[in-house]
Amino acid sequence: MTTNKIRIAAFQRYPVFDDLQATIAQLHTDLQWCQEQGVELALFPECYLLGYSSDAQTIARRAFAIDSPVFKQVLQELSAFNTDFILGFFEQRVAGIYNSAAVLRQGQLMGVYAKQYPNERGVVAGNASPVFEKSGYTYGINICNDANYPACAAELSQQGARLLCYPLNNMLAPATAEKWRSKSLDNLRQRAIETGCWVVSADVVGTLASSHEDKISHGCTCIIAPDGSIVARVAEGRAGVVVSI
């Protein structure tokens, strides 16, 4: 991004499951780096906090409310940093479980976006498109599968968003991962072109082995200009970070 634009970092990270302290420790390291680099907003992958799943029982076990001890611990332990950050998790609400991304600022919850087109079993669809502000710059959030639906991005841009943030989790069966290897990036580029917004994504990377099937994510963490050009991208198959200029 150019002068007078928000300075944002997008992290491509190996997934961690059901280990809150390990994830908080990694977030602490990454946010410390952001603060040293003058980063104003940091983006992490979909459901990064306790790990993504499409299994209803696993999702229910990982879900927690924003007034829960788990969330309060996250706020407290990561409150010392000046960088705002977007953190994904399965959120327990009265109406059910949502695939959400929270905007956090120095120990305060600034707001939550819930995925409008969830493709996880038992997850409720969100119905709001909030926009947020940092340093006079308006941005919004869509989550992973939402990128397949142009109206989600359009709703944010119509509210004045100049930046669209996409937490992703492309950990898929190998054949499916190969299909989405280019399609995921194409979707993000198209959303940028249609809305005239900058687009930033953060994805997981690596492999997972289970008794059911192995999975892989090549990683699609990038910064895309309003004309659809890729300004920066973390190399496939590796953890890393990209920062706007």
Side-chain angles (χ1 to χ4, degrees):
M1 299 178 189
T2 57
T3 307
N4 299 323
K5 301 290 182 75
I6 188 171
R7 186 162 169 80
I8 183 169
F11 288 88
Q12 185 157 287
R13 287 287 174 253
Y14 296 107
V16 177
F17 299 98
D18 304 308
D19 192 337
L20 182 64
Q21 281 309 127
T23 303
I24 288 178
Q26 183 64 60
L27 287 165
H28 192 283
T29 298
D30 290 340
L31 290 170
Q32 179 65 46
W33 181 87
C34 284
Q35 186 156 294
E36 293 167 357
Q37 299 295 318
V39 170
E40 297 167 273
L41 179 66
L43 177 64
F44 294 92
E46 179 182 14
C47 290
Y48 182 62
L49 192 53
L50 288 178
Y52 177 84
S53 179
S54 58
D55 173 72
Q57 287 186 329
T58 304
I59 290 169
R61 176 167 53 81
R62 291 178 180 161
F64 54 86
I66 57 174
D67 61 353
S68 67
V70 170
F71 200 71
K72 290 177 181 178
Q73 180 182 351
V74 172
L75 290 174
Q76 181 178 4
E77 294 198 31
L78 299 173
S79 63
F81 302 104
N82 295 329
T83 303
D84 290 8
F85 61 103
I86 299 170
L87 185 61
F89 64 106
F90 286 114
E91 182 190 1
Q92 183 68 62
R93 300 183 187 177
V94 174
I97 296 172
Y98 293 77
N99 182 336
S100 296
V103 177
L104 306 180
R105 174 182 295 171
Q106 294 182 308
Q108 300 296 317
L109 174 64
M110 306 307 294
V112 178
Y113 170 80
K115 191 175 184 177
Q116 295 189 48
Y117 289 92
N119 46 357
E120 304 86 17
R121 296 178 185 87
V123 172
V124 180
N127 59 8
S129 298
V131 293
F132 304 91
E133 183 271 333
K134 178 66 174 180
S135 303
Y137 202 91
T138 302
Y139 67 93
I141 304 166
N142 280 170
I143 298 176
C144 208
N145 193 45
D146 291 339
N148 287 303
Y149 299 89
C152 289
E155 176 66 24
L156 294 173
S157 67
Q158 288 164 8
Q159 295 183 73
R162 298 161 62 197
L163 167 70
L164 308 180
C165 298
Y166 285 87
L168 307 178
N169 194 303
N170 282 312
M171 187 66 71
L172 302 163
T176 308
E178 188 62 34
K179 170 188 172 184
W180 283 96
R181 195 170 186 173
S182 60
K183 185 171 176 54
S184 186
L185 185 61
D186 290 344
N187 272 347
L188 297 174
R189 293 182 64 245
Q190 195 61 38
R191 299 297 83 81
I193 293 167
E194 291 166 353
T195 61
C197 293
W198 286 86
V199 166
V200 178
S201 63
D203 199 0
V204 294
V205 69
T207 59
L208 291 177
S210 73
S211 57
H212 302 292
E213 64 176 351
D214 294 342
K215 293 184 178 181
I216 185 170
S217 177
H218 301 289
C220 184
T221 299
C222 54
I223 297 173
I224 301 172
D227 65 0
S229 60
I230 301 167
V231 174
R233 182 175 182 181
V234 178
E236 287 189 327
R238 296 171 55 187
V241 59
V242 286
V243 184
S244 63
I245 299 171

